[in-house]
């Protein structure tokens, strides 16, 4: 049997394998070729992780079949551990600085920013376009609405991480109420990245787990509140009210309005119906907040809840790890 294995932008050709050979034996071969230890390998075929005892003959590998190998060479793991230790030391220094600032009565914005934030960003090293994945997570961390929410609710998250696409049943999780939040960034076919608005909704869902563990009415109320605040607080933070409080058409950047929810027609502002143009930024903020709430539909709530791997009667995630 002949097939290929994709790994970190490379394609390894495996030829002349017996149909009785196991996935485990393939991993042993790949360990020598890639430097990834067998215990740290995941072989994916048609989106599923293969078990070590599976025989190649049962996988229905056709012509030009290509598996995907996930894993990190030991050298990179050691380097990551070193980075982790450096990041932890930096976090300790920041915490000491924040404590000293509180002790001295300081309330500077810089202290709040380094306290109520995501303290570490982690992407999957085994996938291509790691820079884009990191940029997405940094965009979430630095999103003005998210920053304002973190400060308002005084939340601190140890790590914001990219979720492995191998965990197909979930979109994200919150481990131990802020120790780590992981979010799925990539599309199911692994050829691109999900829309930023969808990713941010998942992050807001996981931030709701900072307070409520179960997907009950309290949880959903907070989740809807955060979807409103992420817009409302963003506009407030920008503070671009004119001196007389009047709304100046054309004074906003294109990126600041979600074109999927807001349209401009013949000079008038319309949101889900025929409405008069907003006359002040306060009115615009209120309409945008309503739009954010409406865009978090019941269907979306149900989809996220059903994808949760923890809570009453669910399985598939570690204890105290709230997955969506």
């Amino acid at each position: 049997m002949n097939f290929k294995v994709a790994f970190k932008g490379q394609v390894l050709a495996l030829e002349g394998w017996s149909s009785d050979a196991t996935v485990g034996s393939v991993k042993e071969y790949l360990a020598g070729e890639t430097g990834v230890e067998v215990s740290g390998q995941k072989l994916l075929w048609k989106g599923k992780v293969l078990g070590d005892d599976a025989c190649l003959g049962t996988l229905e590998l056709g012509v030009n079949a290509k598996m995907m190998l996930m894993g990190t060479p030991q050298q990179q793991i050691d380097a990551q551990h070193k980075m982790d230790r450096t990041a932890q030391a930096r976090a300790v220094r920041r915490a000491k600085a924040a404590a000293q600032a509180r002790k001295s009565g300081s309330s500077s914005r810089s202290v709040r920013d380094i306290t109520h934030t995501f303290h570490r960003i982690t992407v999957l090293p085994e996938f291509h376009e790691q820079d884009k994945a990191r940029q997405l997570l940094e965009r979430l961390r630095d999103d003005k609405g998210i920053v304002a929410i973190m400060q308002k609710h005084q939340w601190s998250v140890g790590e914001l991480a990219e979720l492995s696409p191998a965990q197909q049943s979930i979109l994200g999780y919150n481990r131990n109420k802020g120790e780590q939040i992981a979010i799925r960034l990539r599309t199911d076919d692994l050829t691109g990245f999900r829309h930023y608005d969808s990713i941010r909704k998942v992050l807001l869902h996981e931030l709701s787990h900072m307070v409520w563990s179960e997907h009950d009415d309290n949880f959903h109320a907070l989740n809807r509140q955060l979807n409103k605040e992420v817009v409302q607080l963003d506009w407030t933070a920008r503070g671009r009210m004119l001196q007389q409080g009047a709304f100046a058409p054309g004074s906003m950047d294109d990126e600041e309005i979600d074109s999927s929810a807001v349209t401009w027609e013949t000079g008038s502002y319309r949101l889900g119906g025929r409405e008069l143009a907003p006359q002040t930024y306060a009115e615009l903020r209120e309409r945008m907040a309503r739009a954010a709430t409406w865009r978090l539909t019941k269907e979306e709530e149900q989809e996220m809840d059903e994808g949760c791997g923890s809570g009453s009667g669910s399985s598939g995630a570690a204890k105290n790890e709230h997955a969506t």
Side-chain angles (χ1 to χ4, degrees), residues 81-141:
H81 288 167
K82 182 178 180 180
M83 291 175 59
D84 290 346
R85 290 192 294 271
T86 301
Q88 290 171 359
R90 188 183 299 118
V92 169
R93 291 195 298 270
R94 286 178 174 177
K96 289 181 178 179
Q100 183 62 34
R102 288 193 297 269
K103 184 177 180 180
S104 63
S106 171
S107 60
S108 66
R109 180 176 179 180
S110 61
V111 171
R112 294 197 304 270
D113 286 349
I114 65 174
T115 302
H116 305 125
T117 186
F118 302 89
H119 294 283
R120 185 156 58 108
I121 298 290
T122 304
V123 300
L124 297 173
E126 60 265 32
F127 286 95
H128 65 290
E129 296 186 304
Q130 295 174 31
D131 290 344
K132 289 186 178 180
R134 181 172 295 276
Q135 289 170 9
L136 263 176
L137 292 177
E138 290 176 345
R139 181 180 176 187
L140 286 171
R141 179 196 63 194

Side-chain angles (χ1 to χ4, degrees), residues 2-221:
N2 300 328
F3 57 97
K4 299 175 181 178
V5 176
F7 176 67
K8 289 184 177 294
Q10 307 177 51
V11 178
L12 306 174
L14 281 73
E15 300 178 346
W17 283 74
S18 168
S19 60
D20 294 328
T22 65
V23 170
S25 62
V26 174
K27 286 184 176 181
E28 291 176 359
Y29 172 79
L30 292 174
E33 295 293 315
T34 65
V36 181
E37 295 184 3
V38 172
S39 60
Q41 292 184 29
K42 287 184 179 179
L43 265 182
L44 280 72
W45 170 242
K46 293 184 177 181
K48 296 183 179 180
V49 178
L50 300 176
D52 290 351
D53 295 333
C55 293
L56 297 181
T58 65
L59 302 181
E60 300 180 357
L61 299 174
V63 179
N64 295 322
K66 184 189 295 185
M67 299 181 188
M68 175 176 288
L69 172 63
M70 294 175 59
T72 305
Q74 189 61 42
Q75 184 177 2
Q76 291 187 18
I77 293 176
D78 294 341
Q80 182 64 47
H81 288 167
K82 182 178 180 180
M83 291 175 59
D84 290 346
R85 290 192 294 271
T86 301
Q88 290 171 359
R90 188 183 299 118
V92 169
R93 291 195 298 270
R94 286 178 174 177
K96 289 181 178 179
Q100 183 62 34
R102 288 193 297 269
K103 184 177 180 180
S104 63
S106 171
S107 60
S108 66
R109 180 176 179 180
S110 61
V111 171
R112 294 197 304 270
D113 286 349
I114 65 174
T115 302
H116 305 125
T117 186
F118 302 89
H119 294 283
R120 185 156 58 108
I121 298 290
T122 304
V123 300
L124 297 173
E126 60 265 32
F127 286 95
H128 65 290
E129 296 186 304
Q130 295 174 31
D131 290 344
K132 289 186 178 180
R134 181 172 295 276
Q135 289 170 9
L136 263 176
L137 292 177
E138 290 176 345
R139 181 180 176 187
L140 286 171
R141 179 196 63 194
D142 300 334
D143 185 297
K144 288 182 173 63
I146 298 295
V147 170
I149 283 175
M150 297 293 284
Q151 293 178 3
K152 175 182 177 181
H153 297 275
Q154 299 185 350
W155 288 334
S156 177
V157 175
E159 178 183 19
L160 181 61
E162 178 183 2
L163 179 67
S164 171
Q167 298 175 269
Q168 289 188 323
S169 62
I170 59 177
L171 297 173
Y173 63 75
N174 182 337
R175 175 180 295 156
N176 295 330
K177 293 191 174 181
E179 175 185 328
Q180 180 195 58
I181 289 181
I183 304 292
R184 176 180 291 196
L185 304 179
R186 301 175 190 267
T187 55
D188 290 343
D189 58 8
L190 305 180
T191 60
F193 293 86
R194 302 176 64 238
H195 192 278
Y196 178 76
D197 184 59
S198 299
I199 296 173
R200 188 170 70 168
K201 285 180 182 177
V202 175
L203 176 58
L204 294 173
H205 182 104
E206 299 310 331
L207 284 174
S208 301
H209 280 304
M210 299 291 287
V211 179
W212 304 106
S213 298
E214 302 299 329
H215 294 128
D216 56 15
D217 291 342
N218 291 322
F219 175 90
H220 289 137

